[in-house]
Amino acid sequence: MFNLTPYERKTNDVWDPFRQLDEIEKSFFGTKSVGFNTDIREDGNNYILEADLPGFKKDDINIDVDDGYLTISAKRSSNYEDKDKKGSYVRCERYYGSYSRSFSLDGIDSDNISAELTDGVLKLTLPKLEVVTPKTRRLEIK
């Protein structure tokens, strides 16, 4: 019962090298996500970045600004191994490890970035840099 695998229908018999590369990647890295999903939207004078980090505590998440890049990293440790030495788990799918994503801060006022964590969603407000238009003036010819 616990060894069920999803059925994949093979409808196209034409050789596709990209599909084969995807299959190699899935077999090597597995099908679990190695990062976390993010959405970035524009809201007036700000960009809003929302990252799904369910199950992470505020202390497990680090947000670093360095050399024009914003890096969000989160680390989850395994605690089920200590609680259950007898091996009574039938299936354990919750995984642990460290996850990290980096974003360029081009056009962002990095000194005024704010962050909040609510219900497993990290929300960053990234204010845009004000575009300074050069003043124009006409010079008088002497």
Side-chain angles (χ1 to χ4, degrees):
M1 177 171 146
F2 295 102
N3 292 329
L4 296 176
T5 56
Y7 173 75
E8 286 188 23
R9 183 183 305 238
K10 306 275 186 194
T11 58
N12 193 353
D13 292 335
V14 178
W15 181 70
D16 182 7
F18 298 108
R19 185 182 325 134
Q20 192 170 10
L21 286 173
D22 286 341
E23 291 173 6
I24 290 170
E25 180 183 8
K26 286 179 185 177
S27 68
F28 185 75
F29 293 110
T31 57
K32 292 183 180 177
S33 174
V34 294
F36 47 87
N37 297 326
T38 60
D39 293 333
I40 302 173
R41 61 185 163 86
E42 191 172 2
D43 183 24
N45 293 330
N46 300 311
Y47 290 107
I48 306 297
L49 184 146
E50 294 176 320
D52 287 340
L53 294 168
F56 285 97
K57 297 177 184 146
K58 187 167 69 168
D59 297 334
D60 296 336
I61 302 169
N62 293 318
I63 304 169
D64 298 312
V65 175
D66 184 32
D67 197 26
Y69 286 93
L70 172 86
T71 302
I72 303 169
S73 57
K75 186 174 183 178
R76 180 180 297 161
S77 60
S78 170
N79 58 4
Y80 66 87
E81 292 175 357
D82 296 334
K83 292 180 180 177
D84 190 17
K85 295 284 185 179
K86 297 178 184 178
S88 63
Y89 278 100
V90 175
R91 184 176 185 103
C92 186
E93 294 182 344
R94 296 184 302 153
Y95 50 97
Y96 60 93
S98 60
Y99 312 93
S100 179
R101 296 275 310 261
S102 293
F103 302 91
S104 173
L105 290 176
D106 290 338
I108 302 295
D109 182 7
S110 61
D111 293 332
N112 294 313
I113 296 174
S114 63
E116 62 182 74
L117 181 68
T118 307
D119 297 330
V121 177
L122 177 67
K123 181 179 176 183
L124 297 176
T125 303
L126 309 163
K128 296 178 185 178
L129 280 176
E130 290 185 27
V131 178
V132 178
T133 56
K135 293 182 180 180
T136 59
R137 61 187 178 121
R138 184 165 291 187
L139 297 176
E140 185 179 325
I141 301 172
K142 294 182 183 182

